[in-house]
Amino acid sequence: MDDEPMTSRTWGAYTYEIDFEPSYRGVTDDTVRIGMLYEAAQFFGMDQGAEARFEAATKDGDLPGGRAIELVKVVDDSSNPQTNFEGARSLVENDEVFAILSTSQALTPQTSNYLAENQVPFTGWGFMPGYCAPNDWGLGFTGCASGFAFGVEGAVSATSPRDVWITYFESQGIDGNEITVGVFNADNEAGRGGEVQNRELWGDQMIFSDYVPTATAGGITDPTRFVNTVLENNPDLVILSTDFPAAVALKAAIAASSYEGRVTDYLSYIPGILEFSPDIAQAFEGGFGVTQVPPLDPSEPAIQKLLADFGAVGYNPGFGALIGYWSADLMVQMIAAAGEDLNTASFYQAINIDGFQATQMSGGLGEVKFPADHVATPDCTGLMQVVEGEFVVAAPFICYGNHPDR
């Protein structure tokens, strides 16, 4: 006789257990209903990336029982936490989705706790607290990327945002452990978490930090104060942990000043944008972009498949679309792991009790694991630079893997 399935699992300080009645919400014999809740201003095209991956999954028969994934509704939260919450509630209670893809700086605990309470799995870029323990329904394709910053028990600081710069400076014959760093953070919850992480990463090397208003709060009306801060301190590296409009404004203003160091951000690697917008190309020229999604290297098998999937639906893989694609890819793999009798309990069993590890072709994301990555992260990062109007690899996409128990 087969052993009875486990109903609980302990990882670190957290215990995962099935103590709820399963729900088949959003699941039929033929389809799985998925919703999307995102910040369109930052991640434009995320729905297109999800559609590309879901269409490929349906065509290739990736789901047990031959089910298709239906992206039933896409909600833009307009960067507003209350709109984000109301969008989540509507997707669950009115549209009856099984799961949600979500990436937004407005994904606050009000929303992520609601999703957990209602057994709604959600995948996305895992930089908000809902993608970390004790929430066991948030499943980031980067794992719990900011656990240390948000005080998650057992989490350690991701090191790749620093490691990738050490790699770069070493390639230039410079000791990365000796450089000085200045940081501008978005003045919101994500930015305040980034401040904690940057201080942990850089320590005494960080010689200044400041907060920058987000677009929803009026944005930067005059960059002079921020440029003066850079010039007065003259760090070797300026890190912009801001929203996209602020990154564009500050990169352009700093480049126009007498500053001769490096300037980087986390949102500027957007394939196609340099050709589309000469103004942005000029603002980004010579600047850097840290990326937690793999660069589009067409020699890599994972990227060959991604480009084919996008081509099949007629979309281009911009940054938001890449976020959508990798969010959808993780969701497809997890639904497949749950098996043909898909419900909230079988899903939870496969991911948090039995244990799940995503698989990726060469050139794709790091292999996220659960339940471990409710606390940890595969910690993968690359560095791109704009040179003569084109993105080039300044430091390769590497999974540094920093958690001792992962």
Side-chain angles (χ1 to χ4, degrees):
M1 177 185 248
D2 292 337
D3 292 337
E4 290 293 322
M6 293 188 297
T7 58
S8 67
R9 180 187 181 104
T10 298
W11 193 89
Y14 303 93
T15 297
Y16 305 90
E17 57 185 344
I18 297 179
D19 57 356
F20 54 85
E21 291 297 319
S23 168
Y24 288 85
R25 180 198 61 245
V27 179
T28 72
D29 290 340
D30 302 315
T31 62
V32 182
R33 294 168 61 84
I34 305 291
M36 177 176 287
L37 176 64
Y38 79 128
E39 188 177 12
Q42 298 296 322
F43 305 106
F44 176 78
M46 186 174 165
D47 54 333
Q48 297 176 355
E51 183 181 339
R53 183 64 185 95
F54 288 156
E55 287 290 326
T58 298
K59 176 175 66 70
D60 297 338
D62 289 344
L63 301 189
R67 287 188 176 100
I69 293 184
E70 181 183 2
L71 186 61
V72 298
K73 190 173 183 180
V74 176
V75 177
D76 173 15
D77 66 18
S78 300
S79 309
N80 184 293
Q82 188 59 31
T83 304
N84 183 278
F85 171 70
E86 291 169 357
R89 186 166 58 184
S90 178
L91 286 170
V92 175
E93 298 176 15
N94 298 330
D95 299 292
E96 297 186 331
V97 298
F98 175 75
I100 289 175
L101 309 186
S102 185
T103 295
S104 174
Q105 296 179 88
L107 181 68
T108 64
Q110 180 186 24
T111 297
S112 51
N113 290 345
Y114 167 83
L115 295 176
E117 290 163 4
N118 286 274
Q119 304 170 34
V120 184
F122 56 102
T123 61
W125 188 4
F127 62 82
M128 291 299 282
Y131 283 107
C132 299
N135 193 319
D136 42 14
W137 293 90
L139 304 147
F141 65 73
T142 54
C144 168
S146 302
F148 177 84
F150 290 117
V152 174
E153 185 174 357
V156 297
S157 177
T159 63
S160 64
R162 184 176 188 273
D163 291 334
V164 74
W165 278 106
I166 301 299
T167 300
Y168 167 77
F169 278 110
E170 286 180 351
S171 74
Q172 304 298 303
I174 300 170
D175 186 351
N177 294 302
E178 299 296 328
I179 67 167
T180 54
V181 177
V183 181
F184 292 113
N185 296 291
D187 191 8
N188 58 17
E189 184 170 12
R192 286 182 283 277
E195 167 73 2
V196 173
Q197 180 160 304
N198 278 311
R199 288 198 175 278
E200 174 69 13
L201 288 176
W202 294 103
D204 292 341
Q205 290 178 262
M206 191 167 81
I207 58 176
F208 77 79
S209 68
D210 199 356
Y211 287 101
V212 175
T214 62
T216 54
I220 298 174
T221 56
D222 182 358
T224 302
R225 175 171 73 84
F226 304 107
V227 174
N228 286 342
T229 298
V230 173
L231 296 177
E232 289 165 6
N233 291 276
N234 195 32
D236 298 299
L237 173 65
V238 175
I239 298 173
L240 308 177
S241 185
T242 66
D243 61 12
F244 186 74
V248 174
L250 289 176
K251 271 191 168 179
I254 293 170
S257 73
S258 59
Y259 176 68
E260 296 181 353
R262 284 82 169 174
V263 183
T264 191
D265 64 87
Y266 292 93
L267 297 172
S268 65
Y269 177 53
I270 306 175
I273 194 170
L274 302 179
E275 297 83 359
F276 177 78
S277 174
D279 289 342
I280 289 179
Q282 182 177 3
F284 285 176
E285 181 63 34
F288 295 81
V290 174
T291 178
Q292 291 184 319
V293 297
L296 295 184
D297 179 352
S299 70
E300 292 284 5
I303 303 307
Q304 292 170 6
K305 173 173 171 37
L306 179 150
L307 294 173
D309 292 349
F310 273 93
V313 293
Y315 295 137
N316 294 315
F319 180 71
L322 293 174
I323 296 294
Y325 184 91
W326 293 117
S327 302
D329 181 69
L330 179 59
M331 184 61 73
V332 167
Q333 291 194 45
M334 292 191 298
I335 290 174
E340 190 166 350
D341 184 22
L342 176 65
N343 56 57
T344 56
S346 66
F347 184 96
Y348 191 94
Q349 175 85 39
I351 307 309
N352 290 322
I353 308 297
D354 297 340
F356 169 85
Q357 179 171 326
T359 58
Q360 295 293 346
M361 300 178 184
S362 174
L365 288 174
E367 295 182 343
V368 67
K369 304 174 184 178
F370 292 102
D373 287 347
H374 290 305
V375 172
T377 171
D379 206 13
C380 309
T381 299
L383 186 64
M384 308 298 288
Q385 185 180 16
V386 179
V387 179
E388 296 182 356
E390 294 184 358
F391 287 110
V392 299
V393 176
F397 189 82
I398 294 175
C399 295
Y400 293 89
N402 63 309
H403 199 290
D405 299 322
R406 191 174 174 274

